[in-house]
Structures are given as structure tokens and as C-alpha cells.
Amino acid sequence: MSKIENLEIKVIDEIGRENISDLTQDYAEIGLDFFIDNEALKDIPVFGTFYKIYKTANNIKDQIFLKKLYAFLFHLKQIPQDKRIKFINTLDYSEKTKQETGQKLLLLIDKLDDFDKPKILSNLLKATIEEKIDYKQFLKLSNVVCNAYIGDLNEFHNNQVLSMDLKERLYNLGIFSLILKNIDSRGFPIQSRSWNFQGNENKKQINIDLDSTKIDSRNKANFNLAIDFEINSIGKALLNYGLKNGS
């Protein structure tokens, strides 16, 4: 078995280890040079295996990956060990499925383009371990995080009122749904309809001229069609579990 295959299995095994608490240095306080020839890192059981392999490359890409991996594992230590072990045991792994799951996890970590995102990924895995979301939801939400701009995620989390531009970007990520509203000439909504398709999952383009489209030209109220977006179940799960404070 290759070193990479060993890593894919190792990352799953190490999630359940008690030694994960040995990651005491807050990732936010360390720079990339922390991962260059740092002999102390190779002695940390949960992280040392990865460090020994990646340190030999000694390039910026691998140093970035090590810091993202470190940040991900750093936040996992907040989850009690018995819960982590129970989660691993319930997955009913063979070596092949363990390798495939570890591979997906490492690929997700590698795709993260901001050092604040590993914490979100850890939060989502914690929600999976605590059975608040299932593994398929974890993968779907993790891919949303990978594809999102971190500034949009922060604004989504911190603000009650979102701009239409932001809601459209969140719609394209699949965490908001499109709503078509009937409004009267004064701009007041009369009724609305939610559409199930979300973002890039539906390739139809909807082009509507809000000034000229009439629901019924014979109606004296001069009804028009307006577009809006609302958070869907995927977005609520991301907000409640991935973007939560703490942990």
C-alpha cells in the first residue's frame, strides 16, 4: 500500500485517538514557517504521520495543506473521544471504504481556500458525529464551503438582512431557493411561489423584465412578477452547524 493510501486510512483512524488533544498550539497564531523542519510536530501521533511525509516536499503548497489539516484536527479535539470512536465504529468500514472516506476528507481539506474554513469543516463533522446531520449531508455542505467565498459566508452568518446580490450568490451555491412573487403596483406582495431547483443544479436561465411583465394585463391592480430568494434546508443546516460560533 502506498504512503498516500496509508494517509487516507490514517486520517480516519486518528480522528478517534485520544492524542488529538496534543494539538495545543492555536493554528491562528502560527505561520507557514511553523511547518518547516519542526521536529516537535513529527512526535505528535495524530499529526506526525502527515508531517513526516509532507515536510520533505518543502514547498508553499504543502505547507498550506499542513496548516489547513492542523486547523481541522485542532477543532476536532473539542469533540469527546467516546463520540468520535462511536462515529467511526458505526460506519462499518472495510479497508476499502475507510480509504475512500479518508480520501474524500483529505480532498475536501485540500480544496479549502481560506484558513477559516477548516473550522467550518470540523463543525460539520462534529454535527455528523452527533447525528444532527448524516454523512451525505456532511459531504454536500462541505462542498458548499469549498466553493464559497469566505466573505459571503461571514456575511451570511453575521447579518439578518442580506443584499440581493449576496442572496443570488448563495442561491448559486445551492443554499438559497428562488421565489417568484406577485406584487401589486405599489410593490406589496400578494402571493409567492418557491421553486425547488437551487443554483447550478438547474441549468435553466430565468430572464424576467420586472418592469414590463404582467401577471394579468386586464387586472386593474397591475400585478407584476418579482424575484426573491429564501434560505433552504441546506442553508439552514450550514448556518446552524457549520457557521456556528465557538468550538
Side-chain angles (χ1 to χ4, degrees), residues 16-44:
R17 298 285 178 86
E18 182 180 3
N19 306 84
I20 201 170
S21 61
D22 291 342
L23 300 176
T24 56
Q25 183 80 33
D26 190 339
Y27 75 98
E29 300 174 355
I30 59 180
L32 295 179
D33 56 349
F34 180 76
F35 300 99
I36 301 176
D37 293 329
N38 188 335
E39 290 301 305
L41 289 175
K42 69 180 177 63
D43 296 325
I44 300 176

Side-chain angles (χ1 to χ4, degrees), residues 22-228:
D22 291 342
L23 300 176
T24 56
Q25 183 80 33
D26 190 339
Y27 75 98
E29 300 174 355
I30 59 180
L32 295 179
D33 56 349
F34 180 76
F35 300 99
I36 301 176
D37 293 329
N38 188 335
E39 290 301 305
L41 289 175
K42 69 180 177 63
D43 296 325
I44 300 176
V46 72
F47 189 73
T49 302
F50 300 93
Y51 176 73
K52 289 173 188 176
I53 291 176
Y54 279 93
K55 77 163 188 173
T56 57
N58 201 26
N59 60 58
I60 188 70
K61 185 177 185 297
D62 290 331
Q63 292 162 25
I64 289 172
F65 174 79
L66 283 173
K67 182 170 181 177
K68 290 187 294 186
L69 177 62
Y70 184 98
F72 173 76
L73 295 172
F74 179 85
H75 288 288
L76 283 186
K77 72 178 184 177
Q78 305 296 334
I79 308 171
Q81 185 189 15
D82 60 331
K83 289 187 177 181
R84 288 184 268 122
I85 293 174
K86 180 182 176 182
F87 167 72
I88 292 171
N89 290 339
T90 57
L91 293 176
D92 191 26
Y93 281 132
S94 65
E95 287 296 288
K96 181 179 179 181
T97 55
K98 183 186 293 187
Q99 179 183 334
E100 290 172 349
T101 304
Q103 182 182 64
K104 288 178 182 178
L105 193 54
L106 291 175
L107 285 173
L108 285 169
I109 294 170
D110 190 45
K111 285 175 64 179
L112 299 176
D113 62 356
D114 189 279
F115 289 124
D116 286 335
K117 288 186 176 183
K119 178 181 178 181
I120 303 175
L121 204 64
S122 291
N123 285 341
L124 291 173
L125 186 60
K126 179 180 180 182
T128 309
I129 291 172
E130 295 175 344
E131 300 181 347
K132 295 176 181 177
I133 59 176
D134 61 32
Y135 179 63
K136 288 184 178 179
Q137 288 173 306
F138 166 76
L139 291 178
K140 181 178 289 188
L141 290 166
S142 297
N143 276 288
V144 168
V145 174
C146 288
N147 294 325
Y149 166 54
I150 190 64
D152 287 346
L153 293 180
N154 290 335
E155 190 173 348
F156 172 47
H157 174 239
N158 294 324
N159 296 295
Q160 294 290 328
V161 179
L162 306 179
S163 69
M164 281 295 290
D165 285 344
L166 176 59
K167 287 194 282 188
E168 186 172 356
R169 292 195 296 274
L170 298 176
Y171 162 74
N172 288 327
L173 286 170
I175 60 177
F176 268 56
S177 295
L178 176 68
I179 301 175
L180 298 181
K181 291 181 177 180
N182 294 348
I183 60 174
D184 63 23
S185 58
R186 299 167 297 168
F188 294 111
I190 297 170
Q191 65 183 59
S192 64
R193 179 181 178 186
S194 294
W195 296 79
N196 292 326
F197 54 83
Q198 297 151 6
N200 293 327
E201 294 178 10
N202 187 295
K203 300 301 182 182
K204 278 187 178 179
Q205 297 295 317
I206 298 181
N207 298 306
I208 299 176
D209 183 348
L210 299 182
D211 294 324
S212 62
T213 303
K214 304 288 175 56
I215 298 299
D216 186 348
S217 60
R218 297 169 297 176
N219 195 310
K220 293 182 180 179
N222 193 24
F223 294 148
N224 294 293
L225 195 61
I227 294 177
D228 202 354

